[in-house]
C-alpha cells in the first residue's frame, strides 16, 4: 500500500517561510489528482494547491502569490513552498494523491503554526 509522509512544518513568525515535503513510498504510475490540503480550526479541509484531473494547477485564493507547488517525479516527492505566512495559515497540512483507479492516498499531516 502506498504511504505518504509529510515533513517541514513547524513554528514560524508572521511573514516567515516554510517548505513542506511529501514523499511517497513508491512510484504511482497513474495519478488523477495530487496536491496539498489543510485543516484549520472550525473549518473543513481546504484545498491549498492541487493539480486537477484536467492537468491544471490551482491555488486557493487565500494563498495565491504566496505559496508555490512543485514536484520531483524521480524522487516521488512533491513540495509546497510557503512565503509571507500569516496566522490564518495555521493548521495541519496534508498531501493527497488520487490515482486513476479511484484510490485515495494521504499522509498523517504536518503541523504549521504561524504566531508571534
Amino acid at each position: 500500500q502506498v504511504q505518504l509522509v509529510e515533513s517541514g512544518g513547524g513554528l514560524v513568525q508572521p511573514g516567515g517561510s516554510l517548505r513542506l515535503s511529501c514523499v511517497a513510498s513508491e512510484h504511482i504510475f497513474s495519478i488523477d489528482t495530487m496536491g496539498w490540503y489543510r485543516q484549520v480550526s472550525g473549518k473543513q479541509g481546504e484545498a491549498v494547491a492541487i493539480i486537477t484531473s484536467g492537468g491544471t494547477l490551482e491555488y486557493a485564493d487565500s494563498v495565491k502569490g504566496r505559496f508555490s507547488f512543485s514536484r520531483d517525479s524521480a524522487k516521488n516527492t512533491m513540495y509546497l513552498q510557503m512565503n509571507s505566512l500569516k496566522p490564518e495559515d495555521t493548521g495541519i497540512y496534508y498531501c493527497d494523491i488520487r490515482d486513476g483507479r479511484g484510490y485515495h492516498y494521504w499522509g498523517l499531516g504536518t503541523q504549521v503554526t504561524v504566531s508571534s
Side-chain angles (χ1 to χ4, degrees):
Q1 185 176 35
V2 175
Q3 303 288 328
L4 304 182
V5 179
E6 302 95 339
S7 63
L11 175 63
V12 64
Q13 293 187 341
S17 297
L18 288 171
R19 183 176 177 84
L20 306 184
S21 299
C22 172
V23 181
S25 61
E26 61 187 86
H27 182 72
I28 302 172
F29 290 95
S30 180
I31 296 175
D32 186 43
T33 66
M34 62 186 297
W36 291 90
Y37 296 75
R38 66 185 180 187
Q39 181 70 52
V40 301
S41 296
K43 297 183 181 297
Q44 297 181 3
E46 174 189 25
V48 177
I50 61 170
I51 297 177
T52 70
S53 59
T56 302
L57 177 60
E58 301 280 353
Y59 293 97
D61 288 341
S62 60
V63 308
K64 287 181 178 178
R66 301 188 297 119
F67 290 11
S68 181
F69 172 89
S70 63
R71 61 173 172 170
D72 186 339
S73 296
K75 297 181 178 179
N76 299 327
T77 303
M78 56 180 165
Y79 306 93
L80 184 68
Q81 178 67 45
M82 306 186 295
N83 300 322
S84 301
L85 283 162
K86 304 175 180 179
E88 52 262 44
D89 294 319
T90 295
I92 304 173
Y93 285 69
Y94 303 88
C95 57
D96 180 283
I97 298 175
R98 296 170 184 175
D99 69 21
R101 299 169 297 175
Y103 289 97
H104 186 196
Y105 311 99
W106 64 91
L108 297 178
T110 185
Q111 176 70 44
V112 172
T113 302
V114 185
S115 176
S116 299

